[in-house]
Amino acid sequence: MSELGAELRRARLERGLTLDDVQDSTKIRKRYLEAIEEGNYNVLPGNFYVRAFVKNYCEAVGLDADQILSQYGKEIPSASLETETEPSIAARPPRRSQPSQRSERFGKVGFSVLMWSFLILILILVYVFAIRKDSPPPKTADNNTSITDEVKPPSDNGTDQTAGEGRGTGTDTQGTGETAEPETEPEKPATTVTFREKEGNIDHYDVAPAGDHKLEIVVTNGQSWIEVREERKGGKARISKTVDPDNTLTYDLDKPLYVNVGRADNVEIKIDDIVVDDGNRPNSKKIIFHPIEDGSAANETGQSGTGGEGR
């Protein structure tokens, strides 16, 4: 690894960023970023791109690009070497496309198949209309046929007995003197954390029902970069630093919160003691939690698959 690559890698790790994060912010392929860190510039598409890629890498990890290029300029290959050895493409004469006899033959065959298909379709339509024209009309019901059998009316004894039972039951109920039990308050619905969508490299979750919720970030195995911001990725910061293990961060989820952890395998994210799946990998994880304000919106999202599962 070159000194320039080591400096860039150190700055990236201090910010808790992975090569995938730098790739998302700079739009430079991951294999080119790895080649820059290892000092293997032959992998890059050309010497002309080396200085531009290094400058974008510096800006992504918070380094002064001009200072880095000046300090490690001797390690970066010169772009003039490539322009001298690059072959001229303009001298090559363009190839003229010649019509192929095979393509002409296939064109004639295709035209014949199309004409026969059209003729067969016309014959099928004529045959279908002829069958419909010759088919007999649907049968109608005979006016002399009775629709239902004769039904005898119920006997008076059965009616009186049923009515008497109903009246007797009502009298007994009124005579007991029992008072109606008071209605119990409905239980508060359980918290659900429902995946909504993935926007770029950020997962969006809806938290229901409306009300108070708690966000907990538990740092377990080792250190991890923790970033919590209000509303969105560039919102007001609640925290943005490296946190040691055996620490728990708690926040009120009274508005959307953006969460970015540098090492998902060292962190456990919970909403009201419900563990949210963060991948459990040694990479960064970015999530925005949206608390539901209207109770009806929570019903539309359905039951959460995350609510009962662990990491």
Side-chain angles (χ1 to χ4, degrees):
M1 180 180 295
S2 64
E3 295 182 2
L4 173 58
E7 180 69 18
L8 295 175
R9 177 181 174 86
R10 181 192 59 77
R12 174 173 63 81
L13 295 178
E14 286 182 355
R15 282 182 166 261
L17 300 175
T18 63
L19 289 175
D20 292 329
D21 297 331
V22 178
Q23 176 181 253
D24 293 339
S25 61
T26 60
K27 307 305 179 184
I28 301 174
R29 295 182 180 179
K30 182 178 179 180
R31 65 190 187 96
Y32 293 157
L33 298 175
E34 292 176 346
I36 292 174
E37 288 189 357
E38 296 173 358
N40 188 11
Y41 301 114
N42 294 329
V43 177
L44 273 65
N47 296 334
F48 175 78
Y49 296 93
V50 175
R51 299 182 67 86
F53 285 179
V54 171
K55 183 177 181 180
N56 292 340
Y57 195 131
C58 292
E59 294 175 354
V61 297
L63 295 177
D64 188 343
D66 294 334
Q67 180 180 354
I68 293 298
L69 291 174
S70 176
Q71 182 177 356
Y72 300 100
K74 295 181 179 180
E75 294 187 14
I76 301 174
S78 176
S80 59
L81 297 177
E82 180 180 359
T83 57
E84 293 177 357
T85 59
E86 183 177 3
S88 176
I89 301 177
R92 298 179 182 177
R95 293 183 178 179
R96 296 183 180 179
S97 59
Q98 298 179 355
S100 175
Q101 296 180 356
R102 181 179 298 178
S103 59
E104 291 181 0
R105 183 167 61 254
F106 279 113
K108 294 180 180 179
V109 173
F111 179 75
S112 301
V113 172
L114 181 62
M115 293 298 297
W116 279 106
S117 300
F118 183 71
L119 180 59
I120 293 172
L121 178 61
I122 293 177
L123 295 176
I124 293 174
L125 292 177
V126 172
Y127 179 73
V128 171
F129 280 113
I131 292 177
R132 289 186 177 181
K133 185 177 180 180
D134 297 337
S135 60
K139 295 181 178 181
T140 57
D142 189 359
N143 295 332
N144 297 326
T145 304
S146 61
I147 299 176
T148 59
D149 296 334
E150 183 180 359
V151 180
K152 295 181 180 181
S155 62
D156 294 340
N157 294 333
T159 305
D160 295 338
Q161 182 177 2
T162 304
E165 290 177 359
R167 288 194 298 271
T169 304
T171 304
D172 294 339
T173 303
Q174 295 177 357
T176 56
E178 295 180 356
T179 59
E181 296 181 357
E183 297 181 357
T184 58
E185 296 182 0
E187 297 182 358
K188 183 179 179 181
T191 301
T192 59
V193 183
T194 307
F195 178 80
R196 179 200 295 179
E197 62 180 351
K198 187 177 185 66
E199 186 179 6
N201 59 349
I202 301 176
D203 294 342
H204 291 259
Y205 284 87
D206 290 332
V207 180
D212 298 331
H213 299 284
K214 294 289 185 182
L215 166 66
E216 292 184 3
I217 303 175
V218 182
V219 183
T220 56
N221 301 327
Q223 290 183 340
S224 177
W225 173 268
I226 305 296
E227 182 181 15
V228 179
R229 295 182 178 272
E230 298 178 359
E231 301 289 344
R232 59 189 183 278
K233 183 177 180 179
K236 181 181 178 181
R238 295 277 186 95
I239 186 176
S240 179
K241 67 177 183 179
T242 300
V243 180
D244 294 329
D246 299 329
N247 279 297
T248 301
L249 309 177
T250 304
Y251 302 94
D252 292 328
L253 193 62
D254 53 356
K255 62 181 65 177
L257 292 181
Y258 166 82
V259 179
N260 177 18
V261 296
R263 290 286 299 268
D265 57 338
N266 292 342
V267 173
E268 189 176 65
I269 302 175
K270 299 180 180 179
I271 301 292
D272 294 344
D273 294 331
I274 297 176
V275 179
V276 180
D277 184 11
D278 58 4
N280 195 22
R281 297 178 179 178
N283 298 326
S284 64
K285 186 68 176 179
K286 301 175 180 63
I287 303 174
I288 296 181
F289 295 101
H290 302 269
I292 297 299
E293 298 180 357
D294 185 7
S296 61
N299 294 331
E300 294 178 0
T301 58
Q303 296 295 332
S304 168
T306 312
E309 297 179 359
R311 179 184 291 271

